[in-house]
Coordinates of all heavy atoms in Angstrom, one line a residue:
R359 N 22.8 -6.6 1.6 CA 22.9 -5.5 2.6 C 23.6 -5.9 3.9 O 24.4 -5.2 4.5 CB 21.6 -4.9 2.9 CG 20.9 -4.1 1.8 CD 19.8 -3.2 2.3 NE 18.7 -4.1 2.9 CZ 17.7 -4.5 2.1 NH1 17.6 -4.2 0.9 NH2 16.8 -5.3 2.7
A360 N 23.3 -7.2 4.3 CA 24.0 -7.7 5.5 C 25.5 -7.9 5.3 O 26.3 -7.5 6.2 CB 23.4 -9.0 5.9
K361 N 25.9 -8.3 4.1 CA 27.3 -8.5 3.8 C 28.0 -7.1 3.8 O 29.2 -7.0 4.3 CB 27.5 -9.2 2.5 CG 27.1 -10.7 2.6 CD 27.3 -11.4 1.2 CE 26.9 -12.8 1.3 NZ 27.1 -13.5 0.0
V362 N 27.4 -6.1 3.2 CA 27.9 -4.8 3.2 C 28.1 -4.2 4.6 O 29.2 -3.6 4.9 CB 27.1 -3.8 2.3 CG1 27.5 -2.4 2.4 CG2 27.1 -4.3 0.9
I363 N 27.1 -4.4 5.4 CA 27.2 -3.9 6.8 C 28.3 -4.6 7.6 O 29.0 -4.0 8.3 CB 25.8 -4.1 7.5 CG1 24.8 -3.2 6.8 CG2 25.9 -3.8 9.0 CD1 23.4 -3.4 7.4
A364 N 28.4 -5.9 7.4 CA 29.5 -6.7 8.1 C 30.9 -6.2 7.6 O 31.8 -6.1 8.4 CB 29.3 -8.2 7.8
A365 N 31.0 -6.0 6.3 CA 32.3 -5.5 5.8 C 32.6 -4.1 6.3 O 33.8 -3.8 6.7 CB 32.3 -5.5 4.3
E366 N 31.6 -3.2 6.4 CA 31.9 -1.9 7.0 C 32.3 -2.0 8.5 O 33.1 -1.3 9.0 CB 30.6 -1.0 6.8 CG 30.3 -0.7 5.4 CD 29.1 0.2 5.3 OE1 28.3 0.3 6.3 OE2 28.8 0.7 4.2
G367 N 31.6 -2.9 9.2 CA 32.0 -3.1 10.6 C 33.4 -3.6 10.8 O 34.1 -3.2 11.7
E368 N 33.8 -4.6 9.9 CA 35.2 -5.1 10.0 C 36.2 -4.0 9.7 O 37.3 -3.9 10.3 CB 35.4 -6.3 9.1 CG 34.6 -7.5 9.5 CD 34.8 -8.6 8.5 OE1 35.5 -8.4 7.5 OE2 34.3 -9.7 8.8
Q369 N 35.8 -3.1 8.7 CA 36.7 -2.0 8.3 C 36.9 -1.0 9.5 O 38.0 -0.6 9.8 CB 36.2 -1.3 7.1 CG 37.1 -0.2 6.6 CD 36.5 0.5 5.4 OE1 35.3 0.3 5.1 NE2 37.3 1.3 4.7
K370 N 35.8 -0.7 10.2 CA 35.9 0.2 11.3 C 36.7 -0.4 12.5 O 37.4 0.2 13.2 CB 34.5 0.6 11.7 CG 33.7 1.5 10.7 CD 32.3 1.8 11.2 CE 31.6 2.7 10.2 NZ 30.2 3.0 10.7
A371 N 36.5 -1.8 12.7 CA 37.2 -2.4 13.8 C 38.7 -2.5 13.5 O 39.5 -2.3 14.4 CB 36.6 -3.9 13.9
S372 N 39.0 -2.7 12.2 CA 40.5 -2.7 11.9 C 41.1 -1.4 12.1 O 42.3 -1.3 12.6 CB 40.7 -3.2 10.5 OG 40.0 -2.3 9.6
R373 N 40.4 -0.3 11.8 CA 40.9 1.0 12.0 C 41.1 1.3 13.5 O 42.1 1.9 13.9 CB 40.0 2.1 11.4 CG 40.0 2.1 9.9 CD 39.0 3.1 9.3 NE 39.0 3.1 7.9 CZ 38.1 3.8 7.2 NH1 37.3 4.6 7.8 NH2 38.2 3.8 5.8
A374 N 40.1 0.9 14.3 CA 40.2 1.1 15.8 C 41.4 0.3 16.3 O 42.1 0.8 17.2 CB 38.9 0.7 16.4
L375 N 41.6 -1.0 15.8 CA 42.7 -1.7 16.3 C 44.1 -1.1 15.9 O 45.0 -1.1 16.7 CB 42.7 -3.2 15.8 CG 41.6 -4.1 16.3 CD1 41.5 -5.4 15.6 CD2 41.8 -4.3 17.8
K376 N 44.1 -0.6 14.7 CA 45.4 0.1 14.3 C 45.7 1.3 15.2 O 46.8 1.5 15.6 CB 45.2 0.6 12.8 CG 46.5 1.2 12.3 CD 46.3 1.6 10.9 CE 47.6 2.3 10.3 NZ 47.9 3.6 11.1
E377 N 44.6 2.1 15.5 CA 44.8 3.3 16.4 C 45.3 2.8 17.8 O 46.1 3.4 18.4 CB 43.5 4.1 16.4 CG 43.2 4.7 15.1 CD 41.8 5.5 15.2 OE1 41.2 5.4 16.3 OE2 41.4 6.1 14.2
A378 N 44.7 1.7 18.3 CA 45.0 1.2 19.6 C 46.5 0.7 19.6 O 47.2 1.0 20.6 CB 44.1 0.1 20.0
A379 N 46.9 0.1 18.5 CA 48.3 -0.4 18.4 C 49.3 0.7 18.4 O 50.3 0.7 19.0 CB 48.4 -1.3 17.2
D380 N 48.9 1.8 17.7 CA 49.8 3.0 17.6 C 50.0 3.6 19.0 O 51.1 4.0 19.4 CB 49.3 4.0 16.6 CG 49.3 3.5 15.2 OD1 50.1 2.5 14.9 OD2 48.5 4.0 14.4
I381 N 48.9 3.6 19.8 CA 49.0 4.2 21.1 C 49.8 3.3 22.1 O 50.6 3.8 22.8 CB 47.6 4.4 21.7 CG1 46.8 5.4 20.9 CG2 47.6 4.8 23.2 CD1 45.3 5.6 21.3
M382 N 49.7 2.0 21.9 CA 50.4 1.1 22.8 C 51.9 1.1 22.5 O 52.7 0.9 23.4 CB 49.9 -0.3 22.7 CG 48.5 -0.5 23.3 SD 47.9 -2.2 23.2 CE 46.3 -2.1 24.1
I383 N 52.2 1.3 21.2 CA 53.7 1.4 20.9 C 54.4 2.5 21.5 O 55.5 2.5 22.0 CB 53.8 1.5 19.3 CG1 53.4 0.1 18.7 CG2 55.2 1.8 18.9 CD1 53.4 0.1 17.2
Q384 N 53.7 3.6 21.7 CA 54.2 4.8 22.4 C 54.4 4.6 23.9 O 55.2 5.3 24.5 CB 53.3 6.0 22.1 CG 53.2 6.4 20.6 CD 52.2 7.5 20.4 OE1 51.6 8.0 21.4 NE2 52.0 7.9 19.1
S385 N 53.7 3.7 24.5 CA 53.8 3.4 25.9 C 54.0 2.0 26.2 O 53.0 1.2 26.1 CB 52.6 4.0 26.6 OG 52.7 3.7 28.0
P386 N 55.2 1.5 26.5 CA 55.4 0.0 26.7 C 54.6 -0.5 27.9 O 54.1 -1.6 28.0 CB 56.9 -0.1 27.0 CG 57.5 1.1 26.3 CD 56.5 2.2 26.4
A387 N 54.4 0.4 28.9 CA 53.6 0.0 30.1 C 52.2 -0.3 29.8 O 51.5 -1.2 30.4 CB 53.7 1.1 31.2
A388 N 51.6 0.4 28.8 CA 50.2 0.1 28.4 C 50.1 -1.3 27.8 O 49.1 -2.0 28.0 CB 49.8 1.2 27.3

Side-chain angles (χ1 to χ4, degrees):
R359 288 196 298 269
K361 291 180 179 179
V362 171
I363 293 173
E366 291 178 353
E368 292 180 356
Q369 184 180 11
K370 292 179 180 179
S372 62
R373 290 178 180 175
L375 289 174
K376 181 180 180 300
E377 293 176 359
D380 294 338
I381 295 173
M382 289 183 179
I383 290 175
Q384 298 176 2
S385 177

